[in-house]
Amino acid sequence: MTQPAWSAGGRAYEQHEGNVIFLLGGRLQTSRDNPLILLFTLALVFGGPIVWVAFEAHYVWTAISPAPLIIFAYVTLNAWASLVRTSFCDPGIIPRYLEDGDKPSEKSIVLTRVDDGGVAGSLETTIALQWCTTCHIYRPPRASHCRACNNCVDTIDHHCVFLNACIGRRNYAAFVSMLVHLFICIIISVVCSALHLYHVAHPTTDAQRSGTGSGFVYALRHEPQCIVFFWVGSVFLIPVSCLLTYHVWLITQNRTTIEQIRLEASGRIYDMERKDADCAENYACLRMCVRFSAWVRQFLVAPTIVSSSDKGNNKRRRSPFQRPHASQNAQAALGRAVPDVFMSWRDAPP
Ligand SMILES: [Zn+2]
Ligand SMILES: [Zn+2]
């Protein structure tokens, strides 16, 4: 039997065997997988708003209104905090060697379904727990082993290459918060840049006037940064809004990205067939966002992570975790409580 890390002495993180770099005495962490992309993301998310404020703040404050700038500062700070929380904090890594020995026996747990799954019969579902040969644990339902981080992560959504971290039970809410705030941040910068350009082309007050000329060509020559901010913002708005739409939809189903891919892979795209509650099918724009996100996602999620061992066995059309109403699902998805067993290992005595 292999002993838990902390029983050999020292801090638990120092003896952690995953592919993870720990910083500041184990308070922060990031995957060893590809820290360079994380640096690029940090430069973009921290640098972008600073550059925009440096060029546009004065004009927005004096010629438009202080309000957009104050809101911009607020959402940017929230986006930064959410990014750090998502990228550098524990996504829900399940400690290794929780079992006494190597795969002692087959294990399955009985879950009471939160609805009837659209099928008449028992409300109880039996889920066989999968043994992780790397972590030496039985994975709880909804957990998966991330190859990039070499950890099992509880309620894993996906491994984000741009944040160089898993998105799981503990940081999913922060991830969604980051998307929401980035979305608002980009909208404000794009709209204000467009207004700046429009005002310079057709000034009606002295504050809006920039120099002596007017017209669109004059505005482009005189304030070229506006069109750069407008286009760059618009380009980033597309993936951010698609990702946000996709996750809002997943949240209303209480489903993770990996679960959705597994369902699609096994030919059970059940929610697409349901008539109630599925707004994604009713609006062409939403449907397009969801499909575009699914297409982008194929480049980001390794095929190995989505292979499901129970392919085709389960005839039910909803997961046991899906509630009948979108609001209940959202509450469950964003407020996932961390089980006690995952809290105890951090504070375990040496
Ligand atoms: Zn594992
Ligand atoms: Zn990962």
Side-chain angles (χ1 to χ4, degrees), residues 70-90:
I70 293 168
I71 298 171
F72 183 84
Y74 176 75
V75 292
T76 302
L77 290 175
N78 273 314
W80 289 350
S82 304
L83 170 66
V84 170
R85 174 72 182 79
T86 311
S87 196
F88 291 104
C89 293
D90 178 16

Side-chain angles (χ1 to χ4, degrees), residues 78-215:
N78 273 314
W80 289 350
S82 304
L83 170 66
V84 170
R85 174 72 182 79
T86 311
S87 196
F88 291 104
C89 293
D90 178 16
I93 295 173
I94 302 172
R96 297 184 180 212
Y97 310 117
L98 289 177
E99 298 294 331
D100 295 336
D102 281 341
K103 198 174 184 182
S105 59
E106 291 298 323
K107 266 195 181 180
S108 63
I109 61 167
V110 177
L111 283 181
T112 304
R113 300 182 66 89
V114 293
D115 66 4
D116 67 357
V119 183
S122 169
L123 279 176
E124 287 193 338
T125 297
T126 305
I127 295 183
L129 297 188
Q130 288 184 327
W131 174 258
C132 180
T133 50
T134 309
C135 302
H136 297 264
I137 53 161
Y138 281 104
R139 286 183 207 129
R142 314 190 84 180
S144 229
H145 189 90
C146 172
R147 287 198 170 190
C149 305
N150 198 21
N151 286 315
C152 275
V153 176
D154 190 27
T155 320
I156 184 171
D157 189 86
H158 65 288
H159 178 89
C160 180
V161 287
F162 298 108
L163 298 177
N164 195 40
C166 280
I167 311 299
R169 180 189 283 270
R170 290 188 181 202
N171 62 357
Y172 185 68
F175 174 72
V176 174
S177 160
M178 183 194 74
L179 287 180
V180 170
H181 288 102
L182 274 183
F183 178 74
I184 302 171
C185 183
I186 296 173
I187 290 274
I188 292 175
S189 57
V190 166
V191 170
C192 287
S193 300
L195 275 177
H196 186 177
L197 207 61
Y198 179 77
H199 286 165
V200 173
H202 306 285
T204 53
T205 66
D206 283 344
Q208 292 175 359
R209 202 175 301 278
S210 175
T212 51
S214 65

Side-chain angles (χ1 to χ4, degrees), residues 170 338-348:
R170 290 188 181 202
V338 180
D340 287 344
V341 64
F342 304 143
M343 296 298 288
S344 58
W345 76 296
R346 295 236 141 203
D347 310 319

Side-chain angles (χ1 to χ4, degrees), residues 194 197-198 200-202 214-222 227 231:
L197 207 61
Y198 179 77
V200 173
H202 306 285
S214 65
F216 188 64
V217 176
Y218 170 81
L220 282 182
R221 282 196 186 140
H222 213 256
I227 195 72
W231 279 113

Side-chain angles (χ1 to χ4, degrees), residues 160-301:
C160 180
V161 287
F162 298 108
L163 298 177
N164 195 40
C166 280
I167 311 299
R169 180 189 283 270
R170 290 188 181 202
N171 62 357
Y172 185 68
F175 174 72
V176 174
S177 160
M178 183 194 74
L179 287 180
V180 170
H181 288 102
L182 274 183
F183 178 74
I184 302 171
C185 183
I186 296 173
I187 290 274
I188 292 175
S189 57
V190 166
V191 170
C192 287
S193 300
L195 275 177
H196 186 177
L197 207 61
Y198 179 77
H199 286 165
V200 173
H202 306 285
T204 53
T205 66
D206 283 344
Q208 292 175 359
R209 202 175 301 278
S210 175
T212 51
S214 65
F216 188 64
V217 176
Y218 170 81
L220 282 182
R221 282 196 186 140
H222 213 256
E223 303 285 351
Q225 82 281 359
C226 293
I227 195 72
V228 174
F229 288 132
F230 179 80
W231 279 113
V232 172
S234 302
V235 165
F236 281 105
L237 194 59
I238 296 168
V240 170
S241 54
C242 284
L243 206 56
L244 180 60
T245 314
Y246 184 64
H247 278 278
V248 167
W249 177 68
L250 285 179
I251 287 167
T252 62
Q253 316 293 314
N254 188 14
R255 193 176 309 148
T256 67
T257 300
I258 288 177
E259 285 169 354
Q260 176 63 26
I261 298 172
R262 281 177 179 161
L263 288 163
E264 289 173 18
S266 58
R268 289 175 285 128
I269 314 174
Y270 39 82
D271 290 294
M272 295 294 179
E273 296 165 7
R274 284 167 58 198
K275 286 181 184 156
D276 56 343
D278 209 340
C279 55
E281 273 300 285
N282 298 336
Y283 297 99
C285 180
L286 263 178
R287 193 167 59 229
M288 201 173 72
C289 286
V290 168
R291 285 188 181 159
F292 180 76
S293 302
W295 179 73
V296 171
R297 192 190 62 203
Q298 307 211 341
F299 296 102
L300 305 179
V301 181

